[in-house]
Amino acid sequence: MMNTNVIVTENLSKTYGKPPLQVFALRQTNLYIKHGDYIAIIGPSGSGKSTLMNLLGCLDKPTTGKIFIEGHDVSTLNENELARIRREKIGFIFQKYNLIPTLNALENIELSMGFAGVDSQLRTEKAKKLLEMVDLSKRLTHKPSELSGGEQQRVAIARALANDPSIILADEPTGNVDTKSGENIMSILEEINREGETIIVVSHNMTIAQRAKRVLRIQDGVVTEEYV
Amino acid sequence: MFKDHVKLAIKNLQHRMSRSLLTLLGIAIGIMAIISLMALGEGMQQAVTGELSSLSDVIVVSTGGGFFSSFGSGGTPSEYFTDRDIATVERTQGVRDVSTQLSASAFAEYNGKKTLISLTGMDVMVMTLQYSNQRLESGDLLTENDQNQIMIGYGIAHDTFEADVSIGERITINGKKFFVSGIFAKQGMSGFSSDSLVLMNSRDFKKLTGQSNISIIYLRVNDVNEVEPIAARIQDAINQNHGRKDFARATTMTSILETVQSIIGILQLVLVAIASIALVVASIGIMNTMLTSVMERTREIGIMKAIGATNQNIMSIFIIEGMLVSSIGGIVGIVLGIFGSQGLTVILNNFMMMGGSSNLAPVITLISVVLAVTVSLIVGVLSSLYPAWKAARMSPIEAVRYE
């Protein structure tokens, strides 16, 4: 690979509204995130954390500036190309788990592989393996409503890994679970990181953030690296 | 991928079972209406065709305005065929069984009241041919050996004299007494009305009036395929006898059949058009349900997009959902329509005066079933198109937004 950076941003900005009522959610951000990095993004609410997360996750398009994911400029891609990047390169973990309520644990994981066009038999096999990895092999056919918060988040982690993404984007992954489950989830993420996966965790919990290799603080749309 | 979308759609429909069932019911009712009305129309078509095509070798020659204006109406035409005309018809090649209908005005007297009526005489064979399908209020059709007996229409029996006439009573016509042996049921406004008919066999007619005013000639042809050209030849020949182009008119059952069929066809179309309104309402129902579902599933749609679903994936999930509802509804509707058409037929046969077609049976054609399935699929696609498009346009950011 030409570039060992998995994500590079160039003067990345996001504004809402038009001058003079323009709001800068993110200003002129230049980031270099390497393969295998473990990054925490911290900041108070309204600081631009979600905006940065949405941009890095290809859920939103920048107003100006560029984002390169594995060397490809994604800031000019259309919706369907972005969808392809999301399913091939990025695994999302959300604070509220965001599993599909009508599908059971196995089907939730298979769904994202389905969008990627993976053969159905292969999907089931891999989904089972992933659920085993997060210690949920006894919960394969449980629906989200039949699982605890911690269990749902572990299904979500398994889902995020389903398409072998280059980056895992976790938005407050422990925000909705008890301390013990939170610890469990963080150790799974760190285990994945040790195996070489790039992890980006967004949190305002400092204890969570300090476990990361790098901490990026964001305030009023400006990102600064914090050295710990 | 398609299979996954179907699976997903089924799960979603199951999740909202009662709502899905109600939406489905709407489509089922619309399809039921279309299927049963089409079956009914087809049944009518076949009943009429069956009845008339047994008479496909018959030609009716009438004077003046044609078959419909004088056929059994009891009206007395002002012009009559001559013996020469009869001879012309009998001479025509390929013709057999020539018989005639005679008309004259006469005075009838019953219960002290005297009134002018128009009298119709015909051979019993022709009578049987023409009236065997007509409902009788009481009594029977005349038979070959009956003498001095008449059949009367509903209007003559009930509205002409001061008292009602019933079977076995006597009406004096031109001073001679006749027994009423049959009374036709009420016909109403139709062109075939027999309400003011006073019918006797041609022997009695000639004896009574001393005339043989032939208003209609019936005949059969040997070869059914020749019926049209023979009819044309006879019409021309008779018109030539009278030196006029519009004296006579020869009508075949085929041409009557075509007219009746096209009338039923139009009727059928109107019925189906009305039934289609139900289907339009049902499709609005699907659209409404789907829009609600899209709103409720904003988060879910966002999640699917975040994990890599394209706009097309989302659209296809919702369209398949709509198609599932409508096609299952369509199948249920077809089944209900098969029963519904039976029910409708019973009602029609019991409560309406269907004249000769009282044994109407619904006919479900393959075409109507295929049409129903196709229409319901199209309805499913069309009514879910807008909700699906709305869903596809949703932003994936919704999914990651804090609440």
Side-chain angles (χ1 to χ4, degrees), chain A residues 50 54 59-60 79-80 83 86-87 92 94-96 98-103 107 111-112 114-115 123 159 171-172, chain B residues 1 4-5 7-8 11-12 15 299-300 303-313 317 396-397 399-400 402-403:
Chain A
S50 304
N54 292 343
L59 292 172
D60 205 355
E79 274 192 58
N80 281 341
R86 286 196 295 269
R87 67 172 179 257
F92 285 98
F94 304 97
Q95 177 174 6
K96 292 202 168 166
N98 283 355
L99 300 173
I100 307 287
T102 49
L103 302 180
E107 291 163 337
L111 182 66
S112 60
F115 289 135
R123 261 186 258 167
R159 179 180 65 184
D171 187 4
E172 298 281 8
Chain B
M1 204 63 241
D4 298 321
H5 290 177
K7 229 169 104 183
L8 206 61
K11 296 221 162 171
N12 278 320
H15 193 65
R299 191 176 190 83
E300 201 177 308
I303 300 165
M304 288 199 279
K305 286 187 130 185
I307 64 173
T310 58
N311 290 356
Q312 289 87 325
N313 288 147
I317 289 168
I397 298 172
V400 290
Y402 301 102
E403 271 162 29

Side-chain angles (χ1 to χ4, degrees), chain A residues 71-166:
Chain A
H72 301 287
D73 184 5
V74 298
S75 42
T76 56
L77 297 182
N78 67 28
E79 274 192 58
N80 281 341
E81 289 165 329
L82 286 177
R84 187 174 58 80
I85 299 284
R86 286 196 295 269
R87 67 172 179 257
E88 287 175 2
K89 307 284 184 201
I90 297 160
F92 285 98
I93 298 166
F94 304 97
Q95 177 174 6
K96 292 202 168 166
Y97 334 124
N98 283 355
L99 300 173
I100 307 287
T102 49
L103 302 180
N104 66 32
L106 211 53
E107 291 163 337
N108 258 291
I109 296 165
E110 288 178 39
L111 182 66
S112 60
M113 287 190 265
F115 289 135
V118 178
D119 170 77
S120 77
Q121 206 182 338
L122 223 65
R123 261 186 258 167
T124 316
E125 247 169 64
K126 188 163 183 192
K128 276 184 185 162
K129 255 183 218 160
L130 287 165
L131 281 172
E132 205 173 306
M133 191 200 85
V134 295
D135 208 15
L136 283 175
S137 26
K138 285 185 183 140
R139 296 276 191 274
L140 300 183
T141 55
H142 286 57
K143 293 228 169 113
S145 56
E146 299 156 353
L147 297 169
S148 74
E151 287 172 325
Q152 287 188 60
Q153 197 59 300
R154 270 140 64 198
V155 175
I157 294 174
R159 179 180 65 184
L161 292 168
N163 289 326
D164 300 316
S166 315

